[in-house]
Amino acid sequence: MEFDDKIPIYYQIKQYIYQEIIVNHLAPGDKLPAVRQLALTLTVNVNTIQRALSELINEGILESKRGRGNFVTTDVATLTDLKHRVVEEQLALMYDRLADLQIAPEDMVAYLTDYIAKRKEQAQA
Amino acid sequence: MTTLLTVANLTYKRNLKTILEDLNLTLEPNQIVGLLGANGAGKTTLMRLIAGAATSYHGTIRLGDQGTPAERKAIVSFSEQVAGVNDNRRLVNIADFYDHVYPDFDMANFRKLATDLGLGLDQRFNQLSRGNHQKFVVAIALSRHAKLYLLDEPFNGIDSMSRKKIVSSIIEWKPEMATILVSDHHVTDIANILDAVAVVKDHTIVDQKKADEIRENNGQSIEDYYESFYAEGETDND
């Protein structure tokens, strides 16, 4: 995994795990790899993995079972919230950029609709 | 958190030349810390002093409750002690030698490390490539059950595949509560695995910071942070 060295690594690992959960590479109830294995896979420090995981546990995204490891929560509401939160963060970035360009909200919708149509065409070509 | 290593007001002169002056450094247990500085800034000398390999200094060096150089030597694993071996023995024979010298040397771990790193133990030391030389030095250093590991420029002049393997070995083989101090003058090699960095310049440590604080509070990469100390003036860094 490529990291942006200007952003805390633990934060980027959290985003990575969010994504793995949202796209169902990590399904509800799945066990995460051991901490040291994750550190090796992502080529980061064990402490960094531990910090990311403990924040995910505090957020209720992961459940820590003593002696057995960390598991993705099976709580549907928490997972739905997570997806909304992550999508909204991306939308917020786009909204702010377009607002900086003084695009009105209703025009944003039009631009986005056109753009989606264009991407669909490109995908079919 | 209890402190693992305390270096306070350390001054070291050799032949009337000041190598280190009024240097302070604190290391906690269970950390990987980058010791960053240009060539000739004093990184190796500092490691030699911490390891107990150089003794005529002024100031304090304490590792846990161990104060004397001889006591420190027994619980610090320093990579330079390996690099000094210049002979045509096979790697397995050199490892046997360390197995006899250090009670905390773990031959089984050494063999696993060598396998992970792709090191053939029948090779002769003086015929190793640069990359394999560095891998061997790191494998020997990490095969001791020490409290503090000092790795002096393990990435100096090696290819990216060897570097990746050494980085993986550091992650995999660091004992839980041990600390690794790794010196480098090209921090991008190891920025992702560092808990903290200490910058050496002008014979002393000019700053010591946690890696994520640099990113979170300064919005800087570790490299930008490090280079900011060398930005103006002399160009002795490469």
Side-chain angles (χ1 to χ4, degrees):
Chain A
M1 180 178 174
E2 290 290 318
F3 291 99
D4 180 340
D5 197 40
K6 287 188 167 59
I7 299 170
I9 307 286
Y10 78 90
Y11 180 84
Q12 297 180 69
I13 291 167
K14 282 176 65 185
Q15 301 297 318
Y16 166 76
I17 294 175
Y18 287 158
Q19 182 170 331
E20 292 291 287
I21 292 173
I22 289 170
V23 303
N24 226 32
H25 285 163
L26 284 171
D30 273 3
K31 183 177 190 287
L32 265 75
V35 171
R36 204 172 282 251
Q37 188 53 52
L38 274 173
L40 276 170
T41 308
L42 301 174
T43 324
V44 298
N45 190 309
V46 168
N47 293 335
T48 309
I49 296 285
Q50 249 147 7
R51 175 161 182 193
L53 295 185
S54 68
E55 291 198 7
L56 291 168
I57 290 164
N58 286 340
E59 290 170 16
I61 309 293
L62 298 181
E63 286 167 17
S64 173
K65 295 183 185 169
R66 192 174 285 271
R68 291 177 50 205
N70 298 305
F71 297 80
V72 179
T73 181
T74 50
D75 184 69
V76 178
T78 304
L79 291 172
T80 311
D81 279 352
L82 170 68
K83 186 168 181 178
H84 283 161
R85 178 154 64 91
V86 172
V87 170
E88 201 168 288
E89 275 168 19
Q90 294 304 314
L91 290 174
L93 287 174
M94 186 176 71
Y95 185 96
D96 289 342
R97 295 261 165 89
L98 293 175
D100 287 345
L101 294 169
Q102 301 188 343
I103 310 286
E106 47 277 22
D107 291 334
M108 290 182 194
V109 176
Y111 276 118
L112 185 60
T113 310
D114 285 353
Y115 181 73
I116 290 170
K118 198 164 136 191
R119 284 296 288 259
K120 274 186 185 159
E121 269 174 39
Q122 282 171 354
Q124 281 159 7
Chain B
M1 192 178 287
T2 50
T3 302
L4 175 70
L5 174 78
T6 307
V7 177
N9 312 113
L10 176 68
T11 294
Y12 181 72
K13 295 188 166 101
R14 205 167 47 200
N15 303 330
L16 298 176
K17 193 170 175 267
T18 300
I19 314 284
L20 298 174
E21 189 160 32
D22 202 19
L23 183 146
N24 295 286
L25 173 70
T26 306
L27 298 180
E28 292 169 1
N30 190 20
Q31 299 272 299
I32 301 176
V33 179
L35 184 66
L36 309 177
N39 291 328
K43 303 190 295 291
T44 302
T45 303
L46 175 59
M47 286 190 170
R48 290 176 57 83
L49 287 162
I50 293 170
T55 52
S56 56
Y57 59 88
H58 296 277
T60 308
I61 305 176
R62 292 194 74 79
L63 188 67
D65 46 16
Q66 310 295 313
T68 73
E71 285 171 333
R72 289 201 305 275
K73 229 173 196 167
I75 50 176
V76 175
S77 184
F78 178 32
S79 65
E80 198 205 44
Q81 288 157 352
V82 185
V85 186
N86 188 14
D87 58 31
N88 66 353
R89 279 182 297 169
R90 295 183 196 281
L91 302 189
V92 65
N93 297 330
I94 300 176
D96 274 336
F97 169 76
Y98 283 102
D99 197 19
H100 284 101
V101 173
Y102 290 106
D104 62 353
F105 191 89
D106 189 324
M107 197 62 179
N109 280 4
F110 172 77
R111 287 185 179 279
K112 283 186 214 149
L113 259 159
T115 306
D116 285 358
L117 289 164
L119 261 184
L121 294 184
D122 284 339
Q123 298 178 85
R124 293 184 188 278
F125 183 81
N126 58 3
Q127 288 169 7
L128 292 179
S129 66
R130 181 84 199 162
N132 280 343
H133 179 278
Q134 296 291 66
K135 285 179 190 170
F136 179 65
V137 166
V138 169
I140 290 282
L142 291 178
S143 294
R144 288 182 55 195
H145 293 282
K147 288 192 173 145
L148 177 63
Y149 297 84
L150 307 173
L151 303 180
D152 192 16
E153 300 266 4
F155 308 106
N156 203 357
I158 64 171
D159 61 276
S160 65
M161 281 315 295
S162 299
R163 189 182 69 224
K164 280 176 187 159
K165 284 189 170 161
I166 290 177
V167 166
S168 292
S169 296
I170 291 174
I171 296 169
E172 187 164 6
W173 289 90
K174 186 182 91 59
E176 181 124 20
M177 286 317 287
T179 285
I180 298 182
L181 183 67
V182 48
S183 70
D184 204 359
H185 60 275
H186 185 65
V187 61
T188 39
D189 292 339
I190 48 164
N192 289 350
I193 63 161
L194 298 180
D195 288 293
V197 294
V199 179
V200 186
K201 194 196 172 191
D202 298 336
H203 316 296
T204 196
I205 288 191
V206 288
D207 201 17
Q208 190 184 354
K209 252 202 179 74
K210 292 213 179 303
D212 275 342
E213 278 174 19
I214 294 167
R215 300 186 180 107
E216 204 150 14
N217 302 346
N218 306 15
Q220 273 180 316
S221 69
I222 306 294
E223 189 178 17
D224 291 342
Y225 162 80
Y226 164 50
E227 286 177 352
S228 69
F229 290 97
Y230 279 96
E232 70 278 357
E234 64 271 76
T235 51
D236 58 344
N237 56 329
D238 53 13

